[in-house]
């Protein structure tokens, strides 16, 4: 059995794992069948009123009768649409959750591939079409992991069938498609979230908490970078018809970090420049201007070596997050004094990721060869958050990625694309919705080139 690592390592701005919620997690990890409020308070050494307040406002905990337990111990029935490398990594991490019932896997038009994926991950059954998965009454939520040109149609089909949806990033090709998806979720009263796993890592939660704590003074500027050398053999990255370009593939991580730290605030001014190849952006930068003269810059590139660090600059220091799309470390530098004689005090914070197991199914019997992408085990934090939200009837990742911010993020991407001259065929299409027959490509071919 995989160790259930706490997602609350930076809860309430505390970086010592000793917040009230963290203490309750530590107790309930061991009390798998749940305990009463009185018992939980006693075991955690906390007042009942303080415990009740956390239990009532955190989806990680659920009440069953007169007992409380961790949401991850309660069953949610998962399906997956698309069986490529991203889905492979996510489902491996999802299986860390004791309550995740791996129910059905589907591709579109390739039943054999779906059957092989289901067998490898321990899904109860598989389908050769998304329609069959949508009709499966024993599936509560679907992880949509095909390519983003098909996200809108695929997700809308599942939501119209009454299923909750976690949709891989980017959620769609443009703001119009995103609005269609959000409207469908609200119409059907189902959960919808974009798969920005980066926001659920404890290290990024800590960076935001430190920025809000005042330890680096007033935040004045944020730099967020994501660059890599992208292979021309991954054709979808370079095709406008496939939503290609660095911005939607990896630049959304940089923009998401900025939005996350600035609390969802929309920029007052957007300036962008980019180099284009074949009608898509291969390298670009964006300058965002916010209220009170605060700024942010985002770098996104298919033409650079690994360059995936984000830094928050304040009037009295800075916070650096290496590999901010999937981090495990935060570096805090506090400036003491003023002028040339000022000194710096550095504090490093390390955050625990789940240990890569020898096996990944709940019985611990299937050998595990490892994740396709670095830090793939970090999908665990996203899986915990979504599983818990669905179980508690929360309809988005409120506090981390509410749907309003998802819409604003795609609005921003549209504005940047307009500024640099990138246009997709989908931008000219009507707003028709429906099911798609397209599936994600074979593993190892046109898969996303970034860790998600």
């Amino acid at each position: 059995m995989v160790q259930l690592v706490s997602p609350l390592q930076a809860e309430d701005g505390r970086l010592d794992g000793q917040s009230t919620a963290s203490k309750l997690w530590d107790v309930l990890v061991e009390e798998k069948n749940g305990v009463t409020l009185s018992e939980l308070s006693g075991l955690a050494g906390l007042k009942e009123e303080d415990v009740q307040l956390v239990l009532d406002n955190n989806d990680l905990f659920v009440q069953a009768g007169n007992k409380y337990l961790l949401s991850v111990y309660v069953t949610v029935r998962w399906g997956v649409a698309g069986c490529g490398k991203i889905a492979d990594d996510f489902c491996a991490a999802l299986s860390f959750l004791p309550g995740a019932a791996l129910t059905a896997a589907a591709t579109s038009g390739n039943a054999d591939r779906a059957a092989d994926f289901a067998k490898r991950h321990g899904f109860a059954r598989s389908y050769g079409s998304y329609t069959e998965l949508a009709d499966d009454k024993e599936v509560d939520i679907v992880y949509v992991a095909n390519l983003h040109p098909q996200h809108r149609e695929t997700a809308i089909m599942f939501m119209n069938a009454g299923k909750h949806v976690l949709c891989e990033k980017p959620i769609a090709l443009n703001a119009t498609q995103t609005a269609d998806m959000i409207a469908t979720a609200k119409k059907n009263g189902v959960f919808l979230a974009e798969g920005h796993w980066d926001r659920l890592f404890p290290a990024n939660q800590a960076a935001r908490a430190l920025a809000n704590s005042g330890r680096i003074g007033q935040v004045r500027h944020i730099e967020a970078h994501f660059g890599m050398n992208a292979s021309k053999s991954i054709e979808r990255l370079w095709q406008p018809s496939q939503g290609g370009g660095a911005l939607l593939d990896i630049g959304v991580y940089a923009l998401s970090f900025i939005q996350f730290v600035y609390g969802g605030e929309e920029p007052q001014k957007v300036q962008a420049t980019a180099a284009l190849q074949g009608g898509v952006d291969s390298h670009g930068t964006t300058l965002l201007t916010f209220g009170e003269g605060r700024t942010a810059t985002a770098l996104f590139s298919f033409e650079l070596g690994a360059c995936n660090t984000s830094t928050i600059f304040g009037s009295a220091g800075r916070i650096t997050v290496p590999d901010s799309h999937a981090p495990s470390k935060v570096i805090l530098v506090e400036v003491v004094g003023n002028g040339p004689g000022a000194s710096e005090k550095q504090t490093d914070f390390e955050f625990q990721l789940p240990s890569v197991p020898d096996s990944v199914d709940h019985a611990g019997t299937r050998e595990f060869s490892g994740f396709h992408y670095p830090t793939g085990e970090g999908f665990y934090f996203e899986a915990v958050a979504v599983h818990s939200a669905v179980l508690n009837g929360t309809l988005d990742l409120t506090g981390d990625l509410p749907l309003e911010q998802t819409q604003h993020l795609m609005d921003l991407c549209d504005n940047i694309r307009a500024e640099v001259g990138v246009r997709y065929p989908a931008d000219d299409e009507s707003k028709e919705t429906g099911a798609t027959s397209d599936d994600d490509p074979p593993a190892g071919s046109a898969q996303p080139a970034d860790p998600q």
Side-chain angles (χ1 to χ4, degrees):
M1 179 66 70
V2 178
Q3 178 189 3
L4 286 175
V5 173
S6 173
L8 297 165
Q9 298 170 55
E11 183 72 4
D12 296 333
R14 296 193 60 161
L15 307 184
D16 57 2
Q18 293 300 304
S19 69
T20 298
S22 295
K23 292 178 179 179
L24 299 184
W25 173 281
D26 291 342
V27 170
L28 292 176
V29 160
E30 303 300 328
E31 301 292 341
K32 299 178 177 59
N33 296 318
V35 292
T36 66
L37 174 62
S38 176
E39 292 170 335
L40 179 57
S41 301
L43 289 168
L46 299 166
K47 296 179 180 179
E48 285 193 16
E49 55 267 32
D50 294 336
V51 171
Q52 189 70 67
L53 182 63
V54 170
L55 294 174
D56 290 343
N57 292 280
N58 195 314
D59 284 342
L60 295 176
F61 311 103
V62 65
Q63 184 173 5
N66 69 335
K67 292 186 176 182
Y68 292 91
L69 64 159
L70 293 182
S71 297
V72 294
Y73 286 131
V74 181
T75 300
V76 173
R77 301 169 298 181
W78 284 79
V80 59
C83 299
K85 289 183 179 179
I86 292 296
D88 217 29
D89 278 6
F90 178 82
C91 290
L94 176 63
S95 69
F96 296 177
L97 279 60
L102 306 184
T103 303
T107 61
S108 184
N110 194 333
D112 289 342
R113 184 168 174 226
D116 178 68
F117 185 94
K119 182 179 180 180
R120 283 188 286 113
H121 286 280
F123 279 86
R125 50 190 170 273
S126 64
Y127 301 114
S129 73
Y130 296 152
T131 302
E132 291 175 281
L133 178 57
D135 290 339
D136 191 327
K137 304 301 183 184
E138 295 184 352
V139 172
D140 300 313
I141 180 170
V142 178
Y143 171 56
V144 173
N146 55 2
L147 294 180
H148 55 284
Q150 288 82 50
H151 281 177
R152 176 182 65 172
E153 290 79 10
T154 308
I156 284 177
M157 178 179 65
F158 289 125
M159 289 188 288
N160 281 335
K163 303 199 185 308
H164 307 291
V165 167
L166 168 63
C167 186
E168 193 45 71
K169 49 71 45 190
I171 193 170
L173 287 171
N174 55 38
T176 297
Q177 292 189 355
T178 302
D180 288 346
M181 295 168 71
I182 292 173
T184 302
K186 292 180 177 179
K187 177 188 71 175
N188 290 289
V190 296
F191 173 94
L192 173 64
E194 183 177 18
H196 264 291
W197 71 330
D198 46 308
R199 297 195 180 200
L200 283 308
F201 278 79
N204 275 338
Q205 302 265 325
R208 180 177 63 170
L210 285 169
N212 291 334
S213 71
R215 292 184 66 173
I216 62 168
Q218 183 182 9
V219 174
R220 301 297 303 162
H221 182 69
I222 302 172
E223 288 185 2
H225 301 162
F226 202 134
M228 64 181 184
N229 290 311
S231 172
K232 290 295 181 67
S233 66
I234 306 178
E235 294 181 358
R236 70 164 188 83
L237 296 178
W238 308 95
Q239 297 176 347
S241 63
Q242 295 299 307
L247 175 64
L248 280 200
D249 199 72
I250 58 178
V252 289
Y253 283 122
L255 296 174
S256 175
F257 184 88
I258 293 167
Q259 185 189 60
F260 187 57
V261 175
Y262 274 150
E265 182 179 347
E266 294 184 76
Q268 297 177 351
K269 186 177 181 180
V270 178
Q271 298 168 274
T273 184
L276 306 186
Q277 293 189 39
V280 302
D281 53 290
S282 60
H283 172 89
T285 58
T286 297
L287 171 62
L288 307 176
T289 303
F290 297 85
E292 301 178 347
R294 291 166 299 132
T295 55
T297 54
L299 167 68
F300 44 93
S301 182
F302 284 162
E303 301 177 2
L304 300 177
C307 174
N308 309 327
T309 295
S310 296
T311 303
I312 306 164
F313 295 90
S315 56
R318 62 189 179 273
I319 301 162
T320 298
V321 187
D323 298 315
S324 54
H325 65 289
S328 60
K329 183 178 182 178
V330 173
I331 302 168
L332 169 67
V333 175
E334 298 169 276
V335 176
V336 181
N338 298 300
S343 61
E344 295 185 345
K345 174 186 176 184
Q346 178 172 320
T347 307
D348 295 353
F349 299 95
E350 301 279 352
F351 297 90
Q352 185 180 8
L353 298 176
S355 300
V356 178
D358 296 323
S359 62
V360 295
D361 66 338
H362 296 165
T365 57
R366 184 169 69 80
E367 291 186 0
F368 179 52
S369 59
F371 291 93
H372 295 287
Y373 299 109
T375 329
E377 61 270 29
F379 276 115
Y380 162 86
F381 297 115
E382 181 180 58
V384 169
V386 173
H387 184 103
S388 300
V390 167
L391 190 63
N392 281 280
T394 306
L395 298 183
D396 65 6
L397 290 176
T398 302
D400 293 311
L401 186 59
L403 289 175
E404 180 183 33
Q405 290 187 25
T406 295
Q407 182 67 60
H408 290 167
L409 192 60
M410 192 55 74
D411 290 339
L412 178 57
C413 288
D414 279 8
N415 290 339
I416 293 170
R417 286 198 296 115
E419 182 90 2
V420 303
V422 172
R423 190 165 185 84
Y424 301 140
D427 296 331
D428 301 316
E429 295 173 358
S430 68
K431 299 180 181 180
E432 294 179 6
T433 60
T436 179
S437 60
D438 293 320
D439 190 25
D440 57 344
S445 59
Q447 284 300 313
D450 61 306
Q452 184 159 302

